């Protein structure tokens, strides 16, 4: 939940990761250095997401991370900046045991206008 007073309440399950990453075992499952993938934040940095918390990171293709998700994240940020209280949830979906998400589901419910549910395929 984000509110206009920049207070956040976030619930993320998992374990934290050191930063800078010196141990490759602490990278998100499915991520490989030099693979062209991004360490995608489920809760975006602009929405107070932590990039040093492995529970908040998944491997994403660049366009998914920097373009498709960012459009929705910007909508949430704009709503919060205008004083709207927004419940925002992001959920990666997986195919079997594959550690690479097949898609990302983003959901927002605001007390004014911020409302959407979107599924973004994690493809090149």
């Amino acid at each position: 939940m984000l509110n206009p007073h920049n207070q956040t309440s976030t619930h993320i399950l998992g374990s934290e990761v050191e930063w800078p990453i010196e141990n490759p075992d602490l990278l998100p499952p499915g991520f490989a250095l030099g693979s062209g993938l991004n360490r995608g934040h489920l809760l975006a940095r602009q929405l107070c997401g932590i990039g040093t918390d492995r529970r908040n990171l998944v491997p994403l293709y660049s366009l998914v991370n920097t373009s498709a998700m960012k459009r929705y994240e910007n909508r949430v940020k704009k709503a919060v900046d205008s004083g709207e209280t927004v419940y925002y949830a992001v959920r990666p979906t997986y195919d079997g045991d594959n550690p690479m998400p097949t898609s990302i589901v983003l959901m927002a419910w605001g007390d004014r206008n911020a409302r959407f549910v979107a599924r973004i395929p994690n493809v090149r």
Side-chain angles (χ1 to χ4, degrees):
M1 175 85 72
L2 300 174
N3 68 35
H5 306 291
N6 292 326
Q7 297 170 335
T8 61
S9 174
T10 306
H11 185 70
I12 302 174
L13 301 175
S15 59
E16 293 188 8
V17 64
E18 65 188 43
W19 187 259
I21 296 174
E22 296 175 1
N23 179 351
D25 293 335
L26 297 177
L27 293 167
F31 179 87
L33 292 171
S35 65
L37 294 169
N38 289 175
R39 291 173 52 241
H41 293 70
L42 294 174
L43 183 60
R45 190 172 307 148
Q46 68 175 329
L47 301 174
C48 302
I50 300 170
T52 58
D53 188 334
R54 184 170 141 176
R55 299 169 295 179
N56 190 41
L57 300 172
V58 295
L60 294 175
Y61 289 106
S62 182
L63 283 177
V64 173
N65 190 39
T66 60
S67 181
M69 285 183 66
K70 191 169 187 105
R71 280 191 302 258
Y72 291 100
E73 294 160 352
N74 287 344
R75 286 173 60 183
V76 172
K77 176 81 166 116
K78 183 177 177 182
V80 170
D81 287 348
S82 73
E84 185 168 359
T85 299
V86 179
Y87 172 79
Y88 180 64
V90 181
R91 182 176 51 87
T93 58
Y94 296 90
D95 185 16
D97 292 335
N98 187 348
M100 170 84 79
T102 55
S103 65
I104 304 293
V105 177
L106 303 98
M107 300 165 276
W109 296 271
D111 61 355
R112 293 188 209 151
N113 299 316
R115 291 191 181 99
F116 62 80
V117 176
R119 177 181 296 273
I120 301 172
N122 188 23
V123 295
R124 292 180 185 185

